[in-house]
Structure formats: structure tokens, C-alpha cells
Amino acid sequence: MKKILFGLLALVFAEIAVFIVIGNAIGVFYTLLLIIFTSIAGLLIAKKRGTKSIQDIQKSMQQGQPPAVPVIETFMIFVGGVLLAVPGFITDILGILFVSGITRNLFKPVIFYYLRKKMKRGQVVILQK
């Protein structure tokens, strides 16, 4: 819990520093416009990709396949959309990485490794009907 709190606090300070640097470089008005534009564009992209990934989950379930990969992708797109909605340049970059298909494929093995590790410890349980 302390790590998360420290990480969030560090992120806030880093975002403020980036705001100051970019505000000095291009001006306050254009900095605010850029933040608003990236938030709106990011949310629209996340909505479009999120809808497709939900359809992929439904399709794999109809075919009788486990929807593990589409669920992970949907989760990553959701997290990316939230990061894009939060004002800030660092969170926008992270959000774009999560929403983009190329970089999402790089993160998937890390997430699967983390989930397998949690499952072995008994911290994550999957229920079947």
C-alpha cells in the first residue's frame, strides 16, 4: 500500500513538472488545449477499441474457448482509457501504450506471468460453474 501511495505521489509531482516545462515551451493556453485534446481523443479511441474487445470476448465464449486473452486486452484498454482521461502528459503516454495494439502485446506476457504467480500462491481464484 505504501508503494502505491508513494508511486501516485511521485506521479503527481512528475506531472506537475512536465506541465511547467511544456507550459513554458508552448504557453499555458496551448498546454491546456493539448491536455483537453489528448483526453478526448484517447477516450474515443479507448471506446472504439474497448467495444471491439468486448465483442472478441463474446465471440470466444460462443466458440467455447476460454476468453483469457480478450479479457486481458479489455482490461488493458480500460486502464489505458482511464489513464488517457486523467489530465497529464505522463498518464497520456502510459494510456496510449495500453490502448495501442503493438505495445499491448508487449505487456500481455507480463500480466499473464503476474496472474500465474498470484494463482500459484492462492491469491487469485478462478471459479467455474
Side-chain angles (χ1 to χ4, degrees), residues 15 34-35 38-39 83-97:
E15 289 284 9
L34 188 59
I35 290 295
T38 56
S39 293
L83 288 171
L84 285 165
V86 173
F89 293 107
I90 297 171
T91 54
D92 285 346
I93 292 169
L94 291 173
I96 289 169
L97 291 175

Coordinates of all heavy atoms in Angstrom, one line a residue, residues 15 34-35 38-39 83-97:
E15 N 4.1 14.9 -13.1 CA 3.1 15.5 -14.0 C 3.2 17.1 -13.8 O 3.1 17.8 -14.8 CB 1.7 15.1 -13.7 CG 1.4 13.7 -14.1 CD 1.2 13.5 -15.6 OE1 1.4 14.4 -16.4 OE2 0.8 12.4 -16.0
L34 N -3.9 21.1 -25.4 CA -3.3 19.8 -25.7 C -3.8 18.8 -24.7 O -4.1 17.6 -25.1 CB -1.8 19.9 -25.7 CG -1.0 18.7 -26.1 CD1 -1.3 18.4 -27.6 CD2 0.5 19.0 -26.0
I35 N -3.9 19.1 -23.5 CA -4.4 18.2 -22.5 C -5.9 17.8 -22.7 O -6.2 16.6 -22.7 CB -4.3 18.8 -21.0 CG1 -2.9 18.9 -20.6 CG2 -5.1 18.0 -20.0 CD1 -2.2 17.6 -20.4
T38 N -6.0 15.5 -26.0 CA -5.5 14.2 -25.8 C -6.5 13.4 -24.9 O -6.7 12.2 -25.2 CB -4.1 14.1 -25.1 OG1 -4.1 14.8 -23.9 CG2 -3.0 14.7 -26.0
S39 N -7.1 14.0 -24.0 CA -8.1 13.3 -23.2 C -9.3 12.9 -24.0 O -9.8 11.7 -23.9 CB -8.6 14.2 -22.0 OG -7.6 14.4 -21.1
L83 N -6.3 6.2 -17.9 CA -5.1 7.0 -17.9 C -5.2 8.1 -18.9 O -4.6 9.2 -18.6 CB -3.9 6.1 -18.2 CG -3.5 5.1 -17.1 CD1 -2.4 4.2 -17.6 CD2 -3.0 5.9 -15.9
L84 N -5.8 7.9 -20.0 CA -5.9 9.0 -21.0 C -6.9 10.1 -20.5 O -6.8 11.2 -20.9 CB -6.4 8.4 -22.4 CG -5.3 7.7 -23.2 CD1 -6.0 6.9 -24.3 CD2 -4.3 8.7 -23.7
A85 N -7.9 9.7 -19.7 CA -8.9 10.6 -19.2 C -8.3 11.5 -18.1 O -8.7 12.6 -18.0 CB -10.1 9.9 -18.7
V86 N -7.3 11.0 -17.4 CA -6.7 11.8 -16.3 C -5.8 12.8 -17.0 O -5.0 12.5 -17.9 CB -5.8 10.8 -15.4 CG1 -5.0 11.6 -14.4 CG2 -6.7 9.8 -14.7
P87 N -6.0 14.1 -16.6 CA -5.1 15.1 -17.2 C -3.7 14.9 -16.8 O -3.3 14.8 -15.7 CB -5.6 16.4 -16.6 CG -6.9 16.1 -15.8 CD -6.9 14.6 -15.6
G88 N -2.8 15.0 -17.9 CA -1.4 14.8 -17.7 C -0.7 14.2 -18.9 O -1.4 13.4 -19.6
F89 N 0.5 14.6 -19.1 CA 1.2 14.0 -20.2 C 1.8 12.7 -20.0 O 1.8 11.8 -20.9 CB 2.3 15.0 -20.6 CG 1.8 16.3 -21.2 CD1 1.9 17.5 -20.4 CD2 1.2 16.4 -22.4 CE1 1.4 18.7 -20.9 CE2 0.7 17.6 -22.9 CZ 0.8 18.7 -22.2
I90 N 2.3 12.4 -18.8 CA 2.8 11.1 -18.5 C 1.7 10.0 -18.5 O 1.9 8.9 -19.1 CB 3.6 11.1 -17.1 CG1 4.7 12.1 -17.2 CG2 4.0 9.7 -16.7 CD1 5.4 12.4 -15.8
T91 N 0.6 10.3 -17.9 CA -0.5 9.4 -17.9 C -1.0 9.2 -19.4 O -1.5 8.1 -19.7 CB -1.7 9.8 -17.0 OG1 -2.0 11.2 -17.4 CG2 -1.2 9.8 -15.6
D92 N -1.0 10.2 -20.2 CA -1.4 10.1 -21.6 C -0.5 9.1 -22.3 O -0.9 8.3 -23.1 CB -1.4 11.4 -22.3 CG -2.6 12.3 -21.9 OD1 -3.5 11.8 -21.3 OD2 -2.6 13.5 -22.2
I93 N 0.8 9.2 -22.1 CA 1.8 8.3 -22.7 C 1.5 6.9 -22.3 O 1.5 6.0 -23.1 CB 3.2 8.8 -22.5 CG1 3.5 10.1 -23.2 CG2 4.2 7.7 -22.9 CD1 4.8 10.8 -22.8
L94 N 1.3 6.7 -21.0 CA 1.1 5.4 -20.5 C -0.3 4.8 -21.0 O -0.4 3.7 -21.4 CB 1.0 5.4 -19.0 CG 2.4 5.6 -18.3 CD1 2.1 5.7 -16.7 CD2 3.3 4.4 -18.5
G95 N -1.3 5.7 -21.1 CA -2.6 5.3 -21.7 C -2.5 4.9 -23.1 O -3.1 3.9 -23.5
I96 N -1.7 5.6 -23.9 CA -1.5 5.3 -25.3 C -0.8 3.9 -25.4 O -1.2 3.1 -26.3 CB -0.8 6.4 -26.0 CG1 -1.7 7.6 -26.2 CG2 -0.3 5.9 -27.4 CD1 -1.0 8.9 -26.7
L97 N 0.1 3.7 -24.6 CA 0.8 2.4 -24.6 C -0.1 1.3 -24.3 O 0.0 0.2 -24.9 CB 2.0 2.4 -23.6 CG 3.2 3.3 -23.9 CD1 4.2 3.3 -22.8 CD2 3.8 2.8 -25.2

